[in-house]
């Protein structure tokens, strides 16, 4: 790359104004960045504005000042002057490739492209652009303005300068970027998350415990511990010999199917797809869904702030 912008002067464009895109707009605007939020779908920008207001209110931000830094637009051309474009469109490879092909023609040569895909191939999406050295994965987590971590995923052609620029910008936005050195399906977090969910769903299918009790076990044992130590550090603390001994008899009994669980497939077919549909493993009347999402955002923000303070105090 020819130049590296001072982080706060970096102009950000977010393409896609759904829950992830609106969270990203709130995140960068809170940190002083100028943000173009782009979505051509009727009503999407109005819904995003309402969501951003809710998100900012939940974390105690100055709503008016932050919203003033966000310029909504239905036109992709609003990204033309951006230094960093982050795509947050639905998880369809062809859609993402079409968007980036258009952006490649619109944006200045120095612009860096980042896709927020949760697991599609970075290399496959990058096939749509000529500037593959300036193309990277940037996998945020919902709610994007609260969860600190971002997986920065290197494609085969991604340059070191692009990685440095993206990670510097993310740190300036208050994030904790981690470099994923290889473009593998699901990256790191989703591979671990899906392995956990696969076992949890299998336990539910087998009638070992209720959905609520399985979640209770994870929240009040693994969940608390994982906030303070990762699985590999925990193996060191427990003793790798102990883990090896348990793994020697337990691994053979763990769920290892390579297709989604029949229970989950049946739920999708019925339309019981979770909170957005009103029913999944739990019932989700609208008032409960709104309350849980708001409470979770506040609690996650408090937990993240506490963990950051604890780490600083220990340094």
């Amino acid at each position: 790359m020819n130049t590296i912008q001072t982080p706060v002067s970096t102009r950000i464009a977010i393409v896609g104004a759904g829950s992830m895109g609106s969270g990203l707009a709130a995140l960068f605007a809170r940190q002083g960045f100028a943000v173009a939020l782009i979505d051509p779908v009727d009503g999407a920008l109005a819904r995003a504005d309402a969501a951003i207001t809710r998100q900012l209110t939940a974390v105690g931000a100055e709503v008016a000042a932050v919203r003033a830094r966000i310029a909504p637009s239905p036109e992709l051309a609003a990204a033309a002057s951006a230094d960093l474009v982050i795509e947050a469109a639905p998880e369809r490879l062809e859609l993402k490739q079409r968007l980036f092909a258009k952006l490649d023609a619109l944006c200045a040569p120095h612009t860096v492209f980042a896709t927020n895909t949760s697991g599609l191939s970075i290399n496959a999406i990058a096939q749509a652009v000529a500037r593959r050295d300036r193309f990277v994965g940037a996998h945020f987590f919902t709610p994007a303005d609260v969860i600190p971590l971002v997986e920065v995923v290197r494609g085969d052609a991604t340059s070191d300068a692009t990685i440095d620029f993206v990670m510097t910008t993310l740190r300036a936005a208050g994030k904790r970027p981690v470099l994923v050195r290889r473009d593998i399906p699901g990256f790191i977090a989703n591979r671990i998350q899906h392995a956990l969910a696969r076992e949890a769903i299998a336990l539910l299918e087998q009638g070992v415990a209720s959905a609520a009790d399985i979640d209770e076990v994870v929240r009040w044992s693994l969940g608390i511990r994982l906030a303070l130590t990762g699985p590999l550090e925990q193996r060191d603390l427990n003793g790798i010999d102990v883990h090896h001994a348990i793994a020697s008899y337990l691994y053979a009994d763990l769920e290892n199917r390579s297709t989604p669980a029949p229970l989950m497939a049946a739920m999708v077919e019925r339309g019981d797809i979770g909170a957005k549909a009103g029913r999944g493993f739990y019932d989700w009347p609208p008032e409960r869904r709104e309350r849980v999402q708001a409470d979770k955002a506040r609690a996650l923000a408090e937990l993240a702030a506490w963990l950051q303070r604890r780490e600083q105090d220990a340094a």
Side-chain angles (χ1 to χ4, degrees):
M1 298 178 69
N2 297 326
T3 60
I4 297 292
Q5 291 281 335
T6 304
V8 76
S9 70
T10 299
R11 294 162 295 185
I12 308 289
I14 310 296
V15 180
S19 59
M20 181 59 74
S22 62
L24 291 175
L27 159 72
F28 283 103
R30 278 180 64 196
Q31 299 297 329
F33 290 84
V35 180
L37 180 59
I38 302 164
D39 200 310
V41 176
D42 288 345
L45 293 171
R47 290 190 295 273
D49 184 63
I52 288 168
T53 299
R54 286 196 304 272
Q55 288 166 285
L56 294 173
T57 301
V59 297
E62 296 181 7
V63 177
V66 175
R67 287 176 63 199
R69 299 188 193 104
I70 301 173
S73 175
E75 302 296 334
L76 204 60
S81 62
D83 302 302
L84 174 63
V85 176
I86 303 174
E87 166 270 315
E91 286 287 271
R92 299 198 299 273
L93 176 61
E94 297 80 8
L95 172 61
K96 292 178 185 290
Q97 288 176 327
R98 285 200 305 273
L99 282 172
F100 277 116
K102 293 177 181 178
L103 288 163
D104 203 27
L106 279 170
C107 293
H110 77 275
T111 303
V112 169
F113 293 154
T115 175
N116 181 49
T117 179
S118 296
L120 293 174
S121 168
I122 305 304
N123 290 322
I125 301 171
Q127 292 300 309
V129 304
R131 63 186 82 188
R132 293 172 195 164
D133 61 320
R134 297 173 186 262
F135 196 98
V136 69
H139 179 215
F140 295 78
F141 298 83
T142 304
D145 57 328
V146 174
I147 302 297
L149 192 114
V150 184
E151 293 178 315
V152 177
V153 187
R154 181 189 287 276
D156 289 347
T158 307
S159 69
D160 289 342
T162 294
I163 294 293
D164 290 345
F165 168 70
V166 171
M167 295 187 78
T168 299
T169 302
L170 290 171
R171 290 190 184 105
K175 289 301 192 184
R176 299 175 68 101
V178 168
L179 178 61
V180 181
R181 299 172 183 171
R182 292 173 48 212
D183 178 22
I184 60 171
F187 316 135
I188 298 171
N190 268 332
R191 292 176 78 98
I192 294 172
Q193 178 174 240
H194 277 262
L196 174 64
R198 179 173 63 181
E199 189 63 35
I201 292 168
L203 292 169
L204 181 63
E205 278 185 318
Q206 295 163 19
V208 172
S210 68
D213 282 346
I214 292 168
D215 282 349
E216 187 85 348
V217 168
V218 173
R219 272 199 298 264
W220 290 100
S221 63
L222 305 180
I224 288 178
R225 191 164 66 190
L226 287 172
L228 298 174
T229 182
L232 300 181
E233 184 181 61
Q234 188 63 44
R235 302 287 73 74
D236 273 357
L237 293 172
N238 289 353
I240 295 172
D241 56 332
V242 175
H243 179 81
H244 181 269
I246 297 171
S248 296
Y249 68 79
L250 184 58
Y251 276 19
D253 199 53
L254 294 178
E255 182 57 66
N256 66 354
R257 59 189 160 206
S258 58
T259 57
L263 172 62
M264 190 161 51
M267 293 173 71
V268 171
E269 188 173 343
R270 290 196 306 269
D272 294 342
I273 56 174
K276 61 186 176 183
R279 183 175 176 80
F281 294 113
Y282 298 83
D283 290 330
W284 292 96
E287 63 276 8
R288 178 174 185 256
R289 182 183 67 224
E290 294 296 324
R291 184 183 71 255
V292 168
Q293 288 176 332
D295 289 348
K296 181 179 178 182
R298 280 191 294 269
L300 286 171
E302 292 170 3
L303 176 60
W306 181 82
L307 288 169
Q308 298 268 28
R309 289 194 301 271
R310 181 180 181 275
E311 187 173 80
Q312 289 165 4
D313 291 344

